[in-house]
Amino acid sequence: MILLSGSFVICIGEGKIQLHEKFVDMYDHYFDDVYRFVLFKTGNRWDTDDLVSEIFRKSFEKFDTVTHPNVKPWLMTIARNTVIDFYRKRKEFTYGQDPDVIGYSQTKVLFDEIELRNDCLKQSILTLAPDEREIINMKYIAGLKYKEISTILSKTEQWLKTKSHRIKQKMETFITICMEG
């Protein structure tokens, strides 16, 4: 039986009472990061709301199995896999040619130069390979640390730093060319 009590959930079963206050703390602390990560991937608030609910449901079910003190990489792995499953079921790709698909909203910009920079940045992101966009998303949108991303991707931290540096160089070159011509 599950009872809601104040800011935490009490699960009653086999005579044991477990307070999941840590889960609620995790939810409060990482909700925005998970939401931004998923919104960037879907570009749709409706799907994002559904997926974030599913992510935290899954994490709640397995929360007792987490032994590592830093749960963010574990939670972001669940988020990443849930989004991948979502697109597999829909038979669509995570990234498309339309910037709205990857979570960018069109904003009214006062200055043409700023609009051009934004367009060049969007175009540079769209030129990246899907795995490169994934790294940019986790680092700059979700705000994960290199160590956390390397855990999620099962790569070394040094490999990730090198890859990130090369991605930024590639984007910088593209943006420079785009701005000039």
Side-chain angles (χ1 to χ4, degrees), residues 4-10 20-25 27-28:
L4 296 175
S5 173
S7 65
F8 54 86
V9 178
I10 301 173
H20 286 279
E21 202 169 322
K22 287 183 180 180
F23 177 82
V24 173
D25 289 343
Y27 177 89
D28 290 341

Side-chain angles (χ1 to χ4, degrees), residues 30-43:
Y30 296 119
F31 178 84
D32 289 340
D33 292 338
V34 171
Y35 193 89
R36 278 192 310 269
F37 176 80
V38 175
L39 181 61
F40 181 83
K41 301 288 272 180
T42 65

Side-chain angles (χ1 to χ4, degrees), residues 166-180:
R166 290 178 182 160
I167 293 168
K168 287 189 282 186
Q169 285 180 324
K170 184 190 292 188
M171 289 178 68
E172 182 181 355
T173 301
F174 184 88
I175 290 170
T176 301
I177 292 170
C178 179
M179 293 290 291
E180 290 173 355

Side-chain angles (χ1 to χ4, degrees), residues 131 135 153 155-164:
D131 63 321
I135 292 169
L153 298 178
K155 301 284 187 178
T156 66
E157 195 172 339
Q158 187 58 45
W159 177 90
L160 182 62
K161 287 179 180 179
T162 302
K163 183 75 171 174
S164 295

Side-chain angles (χ1 to χ4, degrees), residues 115-134:
E115 187 173 322
L116 178 61
R117 276 189 214 150
N118 287 341
D119 289 343
C120 290
L121 177 61
K122 290 175 189 175
Q123 290 175 21
S124 73
I125 290 172
L126 291 173
T127 63
L128 298 175
D131 63 321
E132 294 172 332
R133 281 182 271 197
E134 184 80 2

Side-chain angles (χ1 to χ4, degrees), residues 35 38-40 42-53:
Y35 193 89
V38 175
L39 181 61
F40 181 83
T42 65
N44 175 325
R45 292 194 185 275
W46 294 100
D47 290 337
T48 299
D49 290 344
D50 291 342
L51 288 170
V52 169
S53 295

